[in-house]
Amino acid sequence: MNKKIFSTKTIVATALGAALFLVLFYFVKVPSPVPNTNIQLAYGITTFFGALFGPVAGFLIGFVGHALNDFIAGYGIWWSWVIASGVAGLFSGLAFFTTDLEHGQKPGASYYLFNVIGQALAWIVVAPILDILMFSEPANTVFVQGAAAFIANTITALVVGTVICYAYASTRSSKRSLDKE
């Protein structure tokens, strides 16, 4: 499997993915019971594009999309969570090396593992620790928010991302479907 993580196609897909992430992140959110934490369907986009185009695309889609949302929303860029969105996308993108959506391969165990590890690292470790270091936020608050974000974002990344991955892979032909006999 010869896959490129840097190509014109990947750059264009990254820009498109960041734009889709921004639109979903800004307009499609469900408030969670934890203050300042929403259920965001945008993480399904990061998961799909990461699996299809790689960890760099996944990182940039989460990072740029989240940063643009914060900028447009007008409350300032919350860098700790922007970085965490990038980390989640980076790990989602590791599935690129084990899943071949382009040739009809459906996501396997590694796809789910990379996503769960990435979401856990992003929301239970990176976001709360950076909130404390960068913004002097109280630890008990940010770890509760991080845990809520982990649960919500993992579910949406896996459900929405998996549905999109399966739908996309179903439209592609497998490598073996056109072999000579």
Side-chain angles (χ1 to χ4, degrees):
M1 191 175 350
N2 185 14
K3 292 184 159 193
K4 296 180 185 177
I5 60 172
F6 295 109
S7 68
T8 303
K9 185 177 177 182
T10 302
I11 293 167
V12 171
T14 300
L16 176 63
L20 286 170
F21 184 97
L22 167 64
V23 169
L24 284 174
F25 203 82
Y26 192 80
F27 292 110
V28 183
K29 54 186 156 201
V30 178
S32 82
V34 177
N36 299 319
T37 308
N38 295 309
I39 299 166
Q40 297 282 359
L41 297 180
Y43 290 102
I45 295 299
T46 308
T47 302
F48 166 66
F49 276 89
L52 188 57
F53 295 103
V56 173
F59 176 84
L60 289 172
I61 289 166
F63 185 88
V64 172
H66 195 144
L68 287 172
N69 171 77
D70 286 3
F71 179 75
I72 290 169
Y75 49 75
I77 299 174
W78 204 258
W79 288 110
S80 52
W81 283 54
V82 168
I83 292 167
S85 287
V87 168
L90 174 81
F91 274 81
S92 294
L94 293 176
F96 170 79
F97 299 111
T98 61
T99 304
D100 194 3
L101 297 176
E102 194 63 43
H103 293 101
Q105 181 186 8
K106 308 293 193 291
S110 62
Y111 165 87
Y112 299 103
L113 183 65
F114 289 137
N115 277 290
V116 171
I117 290 171
Q119 295 294 337
L121 182 62
W123 306 114
I124 297 173
V125 178
V126 173
I129 290 174
L130 289 179
D131 273 349
I132 293 165
L133 295 175
M134 297 169 86
F135 303 110
S136 301
E137 292 287 322
N140 59 337
T141 301
V142 295
F143 280 105
V144 168
Q145 289 173 331
F150 164 68
I151 292 165
N153 294 340
T154 300
I155 292 168
T156 58
L158 291 179
V159 171
V160 174
T162 300
V163 167
I164 298 170
C165 284
Y166 267 77
Y168 181 83
S170 296
T171 68
R172 313 305 292 175
S173 58
S174 72
K175 286 181 182 179
R176 286 180 243 124
S177 67
L178 299 175
D179 287 346
K180 277 186 172 181
E181 290 185 14

